Amino acid sequence: MFIQTKEMLQAAQAGHYAVAAFNVYSLETLQAAIHAAEQENQPVIIALGERYFGTVDVEGFAALTKSLAEKASVPVSLHLDHAYEKESIVRAIACGFTSVMYDGSKHELEQNIAYTKEIVELAHQAGVSVEAEIGSTARGAFSDEEEGTGALTDPASAKEFVDQTGVDFLAASIGTLHGMYTGEPDIKLGLLDDIRQAVGVPLVLHGGSGTPDDTMQQAVAKGICKVNVNTEVSLAATNYLKQAADNPMHLSDMMAGMQQAITPVMARFVRLLKNPDA
């Protein structure tokens, strides 16, 4: 079933669990995400980053996602990830995305508030929810995200930001990375407690790949309602394709094998984010 992201995350917040948001860029990655969620009987967020607009037809992708979501046995929503340009957000809203992320984290707080508020007003008029970010998630290994500063989220700034913008979800920077860690993760769960106390909206964790399972589960218990996952799935896919390339086969078989290779990786994240007491 195709539902609103806000409805999905409000349910997660009330139920003390989190929803996996998988970055996808092809039919195979989209189908794998939905199949993984159905295996675990949990909701899933399909995320398309602005950086993929050059290789993925946005309108066609939205139509495809909605068609598969309507047949799915679990709730599915469609999210625009890390958009920096207003034009991208307008385009996503027009073709049916249920939520958008405006990333103004590179700006000073006052500018970020002003730009995000404009996007919130635009999106809310169309019934679309908005995610934004305070702080800046750094980039680790194998990531295709823009380089972030790694600045952590200040709880007081987060409160001011949410109060003034009316944003629906907040991405909290607590030490996770886009991509894989190259050293020991230093994730500030105490800071997450402070952010949770400061704001009431659902919180988002960027950088699910490589984050230790126990840390992830603690973060969910402390209020994270959405976890973004990209790189770990990408590595599973490319590792499979490297092996498959040594055994000549039809492209259709290779793509089917890739989908089979990444589905259990996605299912593990979906399972990890469940409420263990539910």
Side-chain angles (χ1 to χ4, degrees), residues 66-254:
K66 285 186 281 187
S67 177
L68 293 182
E70 286 164 359
K71 296 194 298 181
S73 61
V74 296
V76 179
S77 71
L78 178 56
H79 176 72
L80 174 62
D81 191 32
H82 284 287
Y84 304 93
E85 302 297 331
K86 180 179 177 180
E87 292 77 10
S88 300
I89 290 171
V90 169
R91 188 177 176 188
I93 291 172
C95 63
F97 281 61
T98 59
S99 57
V100 297
M101 180 195 180
Y102 170 67
D103 187 348
S105 59
K106 65 182 179 181
H107 301 296
E108 296 296 328
L109 180 62
E110 185 175 338
Q111 267 191 315
N112 194 357
I113 287 173
Y115 294 150
T116 303
K117 186 175 181 179
E118 179 183 356
I119 296 299
V120 168
E121 291 172 353
L122 172 72
H124 283 183
Q125 287 176 4
V128 173
S129 50
V130 179
E131 175 185 331
E133 184 172 359
I134 288 290
S136 179
T137 304
R139 186 173 68 188
F142 308 110
S143 174
D144 64 351
E145 296 283 0
E146 290 192 1
E147 187 69 62
T149 66
L152 301 178
T153 300
D154 172 63
S157 296
K159 176 174 172 50
E160 180 184 358
F161 183 84
V162 171
D163 289 346
Q164 292 198 31
T165 63
V167 74
D168 300 286
F169 331 122
L170 183 70
S173 177
I174 59 170
T176 54
L177 302 177
H178 284 134
M180 303 301 289
Y181 300 90
T182 55
E184 190 70 23
D186 183 18
I187 299 169
K188 312 292 188 183
L189 292 173
L191 175 60
L192 178 57
D193 284 327
D194 294 339
I195 297 167
R196 175 73 289 165
Q197 289 295 317
V199 303
V201 298
L203 297 176
V204 177
L205 187 70
H206 286 225
S209 294
T211 299
D213 289 2
D214 60 338
T215 302
M216 188 93 74
Q217 290 176 322
Q218 289 181 65
V220 172
K222 292 174 180 291
I224 291 294
C225 299
K226 170 177 175 277
V227 176
N228 288 22
V229 181
N230 188 349
T231 306
E232 203 164 326
V233 177
S234 171
L235 288 173
T238 55
N239 286 337
Y240 167 81
L241 292 172
K242 286 178 185 177
Q243 295 172 9
D246 293 331
N247 300 286
M249 65 179 75
H250 195 277
L251 179 61
S252 63
D253 293 328
M254 185 177 288

